[in-house]
Amino acid sequence: MKKTLLFFTFLIGIISINAQTLEELKATQKVKKDSIAAIQGRVNAIQGQIDALPGWKKGAFGTIGGSISGFKNWFAQGTPNNNSGNIGFTVNAFANLNQDKFFWRNAANVNLSWVKLDDKDDPTDSDKFREATDVFNLTSLYGHKLSEKFAISGLAEYRTTILSNFNDPGFLDLGVGATWTPVKDLVVVVHPLNYNFVFSSNSVIDFESSMGAKILADYTRQIGAVSFKTNLSMFQSYKSGDLSNWTWTNSFGYTLWKMIGVGFDFGLRQNKQEAFNYQQSQPGSTALARLENADNKLQSYWMFGLNYKF
């Protein structure tokens, strides 16, 4: 009986010691975590002071996605013998100059991808990659500061494709107005005096330039391992709503290891002149008499893949 009591007393003592040790370790860990959080807070505060200093700020991040596959005698699908693949990438880059009296913000967005489906049973089938996504956008915004949040500004924005039909069509907005920066990293541009130049060599469709209002909102931010950018660009023609257009692009990146992580991009657009041009170019299509008869469907793209922060 004494041996049994001694054994249980020994076990209780060991459990108590372990419990005490665990609690002590957790308490020590909590103190260390609080110290790390305090240090990180001071580092973030210093980084904020650095970001607020006048001078150039440059950076870029992007997404790379792709896959390849091969099938032989895979009869469950319509093309049992094929090689297929897709590859694409996006790049978001910026170079911003901030001074006491003025700012100059420049940004570029490029999204390109290629796909192929080589049907081995069809000798006339192409085995080459062909363009799938083709987005190229440049913006340059200059502002003379009236205060910390408001500025008189001028904007130039150019949009086109570069893999095929470069500048055919191409869209160039030039305008003046005001820029509002309500919070850090958010820029809102309202330019009531803006001319939308449209370039095209198409002899069937007459792309039309017009005067209108330009609205642009851009928010680019990095929080820890997360980088993201959202940009909304709108043109409202004073001549006709059929000449108006808008584009909304979004990019997200999450760094997992060093500069590498995962990224997701998607974009939406409506442009009736582009829709009209595409519908007229389709084989066997019946010519539309007027731009207003075009089916202005919502355009979209998305891509998921590896992300690299420059």
Side-chain angles (χ1 to χ4, degrees):
M1 183 66 177
K2 289 182 179 180
K3 292 182 178 180
T4 303
L5 290 175
L6 182 61
F7 176 72
F8 279 108
T9 302
F10 177 72
L11 286 179
I12 293 172
I14 291 176
I15 293 172
S16 298
I17 292 173
N18 287 338
Q20 183 179 7
T21 304
L22 178 61
E23 292 301 324
E24 290 176 350
L25 289 173
K26 286 184 176 180
T28 303
Q29 184 186 53
K30 185 177 184 301
V31 173
K32 298 297 184 183
K33 286 184 176 180
D34 291 341
S35 299
I36 294 173
I39 293 171
Q40 187 62 52
R42 292 195 294 270
V43 172
N44 292 340
I46 295 173
Q47 185 62 52
Q49 294 175 0
I50 293 173
D51 293 339
L53 291 174
W56 283 100
K57 301 294 186 299
K58 303 175 183 178
F61 68 97
T63 302
I64 300 175
S67 68
I68 57 174
S69 62
F71 292 87
K72 184 176 182 179
N73 300 326
W74 198 264
F75 298 115
Q77 59 189 21
T79 53
N81 301 291
N82 75 78
N83 290 328
S84 64
N86 68 80
I87 185 171
F89 69 90
T90 64
V91 175
N92 295 282
F94 66 88
N96 299 330
L97 175 63
N98 185 35
Q99 299 290 351
D100 294 335
K101 297 296 184 181
F102 70 93
F103 60 80
W104 185 22
R105 303 176 62 91
N106 304 277
N109 171 254
V110 181
N111 186 330
L112 307 175
S113 68
W114 299 261
V115 298
K116 82 165 184 176
L117 176 61
D118 179 21
D119 186 353
K120 297 300 183 180
D121 298 323
D122 184 358
T124 64
D125 191 33
S126 174
D127 61 353
K128 298 181 179 180
F129 280 89
R130 60 178 182 173
E131 298 87 356
T133 305
D134 194 353
V135 178
F136 181 77
N137 188 63
L138 294 174
T139 61
S140 183
L141 174 68
Y142 177 86
H144 178 76
K145 296 180 181 178
L146 302 177
S147 67
E148 285 299 317
K149 296 185 181 294
F150 290 95
I152 299 173
S153 56
L155 172 72
E157 181 184 46
Y158 178 66
R159 306 183 309 279
T160 187
T161 56
I162 57 177
L163 296 179
S164 61
N165 301 324
F166 176 73
N167 202 41
D168 191 16
F171 297 85
L172 173 64
D173 281 294
L174 294 176
V176 294
T179 294
W180 179 41
T181 53
V183 296
K184 185 176 180 294
D185 304 313
L186 174 61
V187 178
V188 180
V189 179
V190 180
H191 286 178
L193 297 176
N194 184 91
Y195 200 82
N196 179 238
F197 294 91
V198 185
F199 309 100
S200 175
S201 61
N202 195 319
S203 59
V204 178
I205 306 299
D206 292 327
F207 284 90
E208 189 172 352
S209 304
S210 66
M211 191 77 179
K214 182 72 174 183
I215 298 174
L216 184 145
D218 183 275
Y219 189 68
T220 304
R221 184 77 184 274
Q222 179 178 340
I223 304 176
V226 179
S227 301
F228 60 92
K229 176 184 178 68
T230 180
N231 180 281
L232 175 64
S233 177
M234 305 175 64
F235 171 72
Q236 180 61 51
S237 174
Y238 294 147
K239 184 175 183 179
S240 170
D242 292 335
L243 304 179
S244 302
N245 60 77
W246 62 269
T247 302
W248 182 35
T249 58
N250 300 269
S251 297
F252 302 88
Y254 183 77
T255 303
L256 297 173
W257 178 73
K258 292 186 177 181
M259 309 298 282
I260 301 175
V262 293
F264 177 71
D265 294 79
F266 76 90
L268 301 173
R269 173 186 287 175
Q270 274 195 314
N271 187 317
K272 201 163 189 177
Q273 293 193 85
E274 288 182 341
F276 188 37
N277 177 53
Y278 174 77
Q279 292 163 30
Q280 289 286 72
S281 66
Q282 296 307 295
S285 65
T286 303
L288 300 174
R290 301 172 63 88
L291 172 63
E292 62 187 31
N293 296 329
D295 187 4
N296 190 19
K297 294 181 179 179
L298 180 66
Q299 306 173 44
S300 66
Y301 72 81
W302 66 270
M303 185 170 67
F304 178 80
L306 292 177
N307 177 271
Y308 188 84
K309 178 185 171 185
F310 299 90

